């Protein structure tokens, strides 16, 4: 390898290192900006802004049902007996429902969310930006649910769900079958993409997005635990 090539590689590595240091510094500052109580007061407006842009697919799937708060979650691996229902009647349904069942999942390429709507909790699973599952847990189910700890087995078998996250879990009995829901106190990506198409070079813009996404998760926890304090971690 020639000396000039080595110099170019070294300069590229140094430039990348400087860029990453600058990016992480910006990201840390933005996260702090959205970490306080003042930011929580702005959360409803920020959520509406993001529902119109990056999370329009969630709003579309909810149809006429309100989106009070939402956060990201891991896909549900056991769902017990499923009752089909149209998403339009989601807020008024007394049961839990699902549409578009699919047997196999590839979690790394997909996204799932929990949406608080009134006193019900909706689970939305997206494949390539398209909604494939819509589960609804009503107030009765949620009142009988309980907070649970992530097990060592789940840390191994669901590595991609919990690695680098601060996961929370609740468990509920569905027709005699225990169903676990692992969710997070932040949102990391929209349904359509993992944000790589947003333009990583727009450091300030990306930092703002990540800060706002994190705020959505905090806001969800606040609203959800106000209604269901027994599920608070």
């Amino acid at each position: 390898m020639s000396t000039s090539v080595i110099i170019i590689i070294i300069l590229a590595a140094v430039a990348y290192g400087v860029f990453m240091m600058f990016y992480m510094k910006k990201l840390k500052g933005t996260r702090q900006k959205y970490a306080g109580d003042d930011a929580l007061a702005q959360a409803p407006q920020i959520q509406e802004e993001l529902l119109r842009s990056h999370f329009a697919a969630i709003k579309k799937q909810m149809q006429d049902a309100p989106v009070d708060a939402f956060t990201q979650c891991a896909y549900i691996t056991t769902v017990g007996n499923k009752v089909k229902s149209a998403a339009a009647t989601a807020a008024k349904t007394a049961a839990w429902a699902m549409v578009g069942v699919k047997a196999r999942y590839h979690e790394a390429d997909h996204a799932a969310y929990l949406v608080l709507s009134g006193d019900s909790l909706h689970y939305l699973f997206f494949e390539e930006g398209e909604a494939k599952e819509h589960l609804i847990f009503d107030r009765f189910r949620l009142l009988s649910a309980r907070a649970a700890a992530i097990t060592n087995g789940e840390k191994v078998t669901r590595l991609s769900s919990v690695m680098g996250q601060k996961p929370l879990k609740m468990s509920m009995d569905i027709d005699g079958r225990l169903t676990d829901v692992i969710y997070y106190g932040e949102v990391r990506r929209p349904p359509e993409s993992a944000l790589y198409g947003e333009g990583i070079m727009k450091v300030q813009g990306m930092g703002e997005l990540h800060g706002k996404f994190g705020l959505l998760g905090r806001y969800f926890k606040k609203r959800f635990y106000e209604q269901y304090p027994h599920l608070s971690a």
Side-chain angles (χ1 to χ4, degrees):
M1 186 179 293
S2 66
T3 302
S4 59
V5 172
I6 294 174
I7 292 174
I8 291 173
I9 292 174
I10 292 173
L11 289 176
V14 171
Y16 178 76
V18 171
F19 167 77
M20 288 306 298
M21 287 177 61
F22 177 67
Y23 174 73
M24 294 307 295
K25 184 178 179 180
K26 281 281 188 181
L27 187 58
K28 182 178 179 181
T30 305
R31 283 177 174 172
Q32 291 175 342
K33 172 183 174 181
Y34 291 103
D37 292 337
D38 290 343
L40 271 178
Q42 303 173 40
Q45 292 76 24
I46 292 174
Q47 179 175 277
E48 281 302 312
E49 167 198 326
L50 292 175
L51 281 171
R52 289 192 299 268
S53 55
H54 294 77
F55 298 94
I58 289 179
K59 192 168 185 177
K60 179 181 178 181
Q61 179 64 16
M62 294 296 291
Q63 297 190 21
D64 294 330
V67 177
D68 297 326
F70 70 93
T71 195
Q72 201 162 338
C73 68
Y75 70 82
I76 297 176
T77 56
T78 56
V79 292
N81 294 326
K82 305 172 182 100
V83 181
K84 292 184 179 179
S85 177
T89 62
K92 299 178 181 178
T93 262
W96 63 304
M98 185 176 78
V99 294
V101 183
K102 188 157 185 174
R104 291 178 296 179
Y105 309 98
H106 304 282
E107 185 181 6
D109 299 322
H110 304 119
Y113 305 88
L114 293 181
V115 181
L116 182 65
S117 180
D119 58 7
S120 297
L121 190 65
H122 297 236
Y123 163 81
L124 304 180
F125 178 83
F126 291 88
E127 178 185 2
E128 305 297 335
E130 182 182 352
K132 292 295 183 179
E133 285 193 50
H134 189 155
L135 306 179
I136 305 163
F137 301 102
D138 64 10
R139 183 171 178 79
F140 174 79
R141 299 287 185 190
L142 294 170
L143 287 174
S144 62
R146 60 179 177 83
I150 303 294
T151 66
N152 289 331
E154 286 169 328
K155 291 177 182 178
V156 175
T157 60
R158 310 207 70 190
L159 181 63
S160 58
S161 297
V162 300
M163 185 173 61
Q165 305 264 18
K166 293 182 178 178
L168 303 162
K169 187 173 81 171
M170 58 182 166
S171 297
M172 64 188 78
D173 185 274
I174 304 294
D175 297 327
R177 188 171 185 177
L178 190 65
T179 299
D180 292 331
V181 181
I182 297 174
Y183 62 105
Y184 317 117
E186 64 177 334
V187 175
R188 291 196 169 187
R189 55 163 293 177
E192 295 86 353
S193 71
L195 280 183
Y196 298 121
E198 293 290 342
I200 191 65
M201 296 303 291
K202 297 179 181 179
V203 177
Q204 184 173 357
M206 285 295 293
E208 285 289 323
L209 274 179
H210 281 292
K212 290 177 179 179
F213 283 13
L215 179 62
L216 292 179
R218 290 179 57 219
Y219 184 58
F220 171 85
K221 288 170 61 179
K222 177 179 181 295
R223 294 291 303 270
F224 186 51
Y225 294 156
E226 283 174 352
Q227 289 197 52
Y228 300 101
H230 66 291
L231 295 175
S232 176

